[in-house]
Amino acid sequence: MEAVASRRVGRRIGIFGGTFDPIHVGHLVAAVNAKHALHLDLVIMMVANVPWQKAEVREVSCAEDRYALVQAAVGGVPGLEAGRQEIDRGGESYTADTLQEMADADPRAELFVLVGWDVAGELATWERIDDVQRMATLVIVNRPGAGRPRGLDGDGWRVAEVTVPNLEISSTDLRARAADGRPLDYLVPEAAVRFIRSRGMYAGGG
Ligand code: ATP
Ligand code: MG
């Protein structure tokens, strides 16, 4: 019995990376359901500093504002946290670096990387993907508008799939709504809507 007790496994930590420009209930519903299904102790909504795959395509809101939105959104939800490691590290954000930093800080932690179907189909483009494979279990959640990616099983990944309510919500649509004055209410947590309004975020279109 004692031997078992002393080999207590580490915390199970999920990392849900995103631009969160803005965060919405699609992200949050996915996070809490993955947390529940996989018995995670914590899911960190990890705000990308420079989302290198997006920065060339459109102007991304400043990282501190996106982080403030995530903080406002997760406030009071047990087991969900806003993560700023990628902002503090600066530069372009790579999940491989984030995982390494977390493993160094807590070597016993078991790490999980959460992605929706759209992102799961693009993993081959990630920087140092073999490091990500080695350090984490991939958690895939369904997302409307994207097909379920094939070929991940048996491709070196440890994979867990979690089925979540299909919510057809995207930050792209929310930015368009804000730009032409349509409501964000109930698609984005109230405290985050207040922050968007107070800062005039997305008001100019884009
Ligand atoms: P954008 O339209 O700007 O790309 P987004 O809504 O896709 O924004 P991201 O920050 O790009 O949000 O996504 C972060 C992560 O959340 C990705 O893994 C993505 O697949 C997942 N995700 C986003 N929206 C949903 C949703 N409605 N249901 C499930 N997963 C989602
Ligand atoms: Mg996206």
Side-chain angles (χ1 to χ4, degrees):
M1 287 295 271
E2 265 173 39
V4 171
S6 66
R7 277 195 290 118
R8 233 190 103 232
V9 288
R11 289 198 305 163
R12 293 163 68 81
I13 302 177
I15 296 148
F16 196 7
T19 311
F20 303 122
D21 194 15
I23 189 164
H24 53 69
V25 299
H27 299 126
L28 295 159
V29 167
V32 296
N33 281 281
K35 175 177 180 292
H36 175 81
L38 300 172
H39 308 287
L40 306 180
D41 296 295
L42 175 68
V43 174
I44 303 174
M45 313 299 287
M46 188 64 72
V47 180
N49 185 47
V50 179
W52 53 280
Q53 291 185 317
K54 283 183 179 163
E56 290 167 14
V57 182
R58 67 173 180 90
E59 202 170 314
V60 175
S61 304
C62 90
E64 292 295 348
D65 279 356
R66 290 182 288 111
Y67 176 73
L69 286 174
V70 174
Q71 262 198 318
V74 301
V77 181
L80 283 201
E81 250 177 39
R84 55 173 300 123
Q85 283 91 328
E86 295 185 352
I87 299 175
D88 293 341
R89 203 161 61 232
E92 299 195 325
S93 304
Y94 299 120
T95 301
D97 296 328
T98 305
L99 289 171
Q100 190 60 60
E101 209 172 284
M102 305 213 32
D104 291 345
D106 185 355
R108 280 150 49 100
E110 197 174 335
L111 302 177
F112 298 78
V113 170
L114 279 60
V115 293
W117 274 354
D118 57 321
V119 170
E122 299 167 352
L123 292 174
T125 68
W126 281 20
E127 183 84 6
R128 278 164 284 133
I129 194 66
D130 43 329
D131 287 347
V132 179
Q133 281 188 334
R134 182 172 47 77
M135 287 188 280
T137 298
L138 185 67
V139 180
I140 304 178
V141 300
N142 49 293
R143 180 176 191 186
R148 180 184 174 280
R150 293 168 198 219
L152 288 169
D153 302 293
D155 200 17
W157 288 103
R158 280 167 282 154
V159 178
E161 290 201 58
V162 177
T163 303
V164 302
N166 268 320
L167 294 170
E168 199 161 353
I169 304 172
S170 70
S171 303
T172 300
D173 177 60
L174 291 164
R175 293 191 298 274
R177 291 178 147 271
D180 53 23
R182 283 175 291 157
L184 306 182
D185 308 285
Y186 305 110
L187 299 171
V188 172
E190 200 183 332
V193 173
R194 276 200 299 273
F195 185 87
I196 290 169
R197 298 282 180 235
S198 72
R199 299 291 276 243
M201 288 176 81
Y202 314 120

